[in-house]
Each structure stands twice: as C-alpha cells, then as structure tokens.
Amino acid sequence: MIEIFIINSALIAGAVLIHYEVLFRLTRLIPKLTFLRSRLRILVGVFGALVAHVAEVWLFAFAYYFMLDSGRYGSLEGNFNGTLMDASYFSFTTYTSLGFGDIEPLGDIRFLVGLEALTGLVLITWTASFMFIEMQRFWIIQSDS
C-alpha cells in the first residue's frame, strides 16, 4: 500500500512539475517573441501547452507499462495487449477523462488511473487559465494599437 502511494505521488508530482516548468517558461518566452505577430505568439503558447500535456501523458504511460510488466500492481483488461502504445492510448483516454471503456483497470493500478484523470483535469484547467491570461495580453495589445 505504501509503495503504490509513493509511486503515485511521484508521478503526480512529476506531471505537475513538468506543467509548471513549461507554463513558467512560456510566460517568459511569449513576450520576448516580438518578431512574431501577437496571434502567432498565442499559437506558441498553445503548442507549448500541448507539448507539456503530451509529455505528462507519456509519463503516466511509461508508469503503466512498467507497473503492468512487473505484475505486482494489477492489470488492464479488454482491448489491451501490453505494448507501450496501448499503455499510451490508455493514458491519453484517462488523462483527458474520455475513458472509452475498452480497457478496464483491475487491482491497485486503479488508484493511479483515478489520480491520472484528476491530474489531467486540473492540468488542462490550468492550461485554460494560462491561455486566457495570454489572450488578455493579446487583447490589451490589440486595443492599444
């Protein structure tokens, strides 16, 4: 029980740190891109945030892959054959809360699945807030012109 708690905590912390670092660096980078039009700077923010989300999804995908490979944390049943690509598909559907339902977690890994969905919700919301702030800057620049 304590082992799964430590693993899950480390994964959540890793995802949050990745997100924080990417958004922090984008906050510093976007205003410096004066050679780009304001609209293109917003796109840099969007694509940067997407890269952060993909990195976070892959962090969880690798965790699923290695946890399932060990056989100690449960299994994923259904349309899952144990490949890293299947683990990444499951991670994408969990992180985004789509949960197609074609893969079902069994055992202790269910706790991580729930935490990934919650983490994805929080980080996606954080990105939406970040992009809203960046868009406000864009609107302020446009209204000053």
Side-chain angles (χ1 to χ4, degrees), residues 88-99:
S88 69
Y89 163 77
F90 179 72
S91 184
F92 270 103
T93 60
T94 302
Y95 184 91
T96 58
S97 300
L98 288 175

Side-chain angles (χ1 to χ4, degrees), residues 1-40:
M1 178 67 177
I2 192 79
E3 182 181 359
I4 197 80
F5 178 79
I6 291 169
I7 291 169
N8 292 347
S9 297
L11 287 167
I12 304 280
V16 170
L17 287 172
I18 289 169
H19 211 74
Y20 173 82
E21 285 299 321
V22 170
L23 294 185
F24 176 76
R25 292 176 194 287
L26 285 171
T27 300
R28 298 281 175 109
L29 173 67
I30 291 171
K32 292 179 182 176
L33 300 176
T34 55
F35 58 91
L36 292 177
R37 301 172 92 191
S38 295
R39 292 179 184 195
L40 293 177

Side-chain angles (χ1 to χ4, degrees), residues 79-92:
N79 192 18
F80 184 81
N81 63 15
T83 65
L84 182 58
M85 289 308 290
D86 276 357
S88 69
Y89 163 77
F90 179 72
S91 184
F92 270 103

Side-chain angles (χ1 to χ4, degrees), residues 61 63-69 74-91 102-105 109:
Y64 290 132
Y65 180 75
F66 289 116
M67 289 172 76
L68 293 168
D69 191 51
S75 63
L76 294 177
E77 301 295 324
N79 192 18
F80 184 81
N81 63 15
T83 65
L84 182 58
M85 289 308 290
D86 276 357
S88 69
Y89 163 77
F90 179 72
S91 184
D102 58 340
I103 301 174
E104 177 186 4
I109 204 159

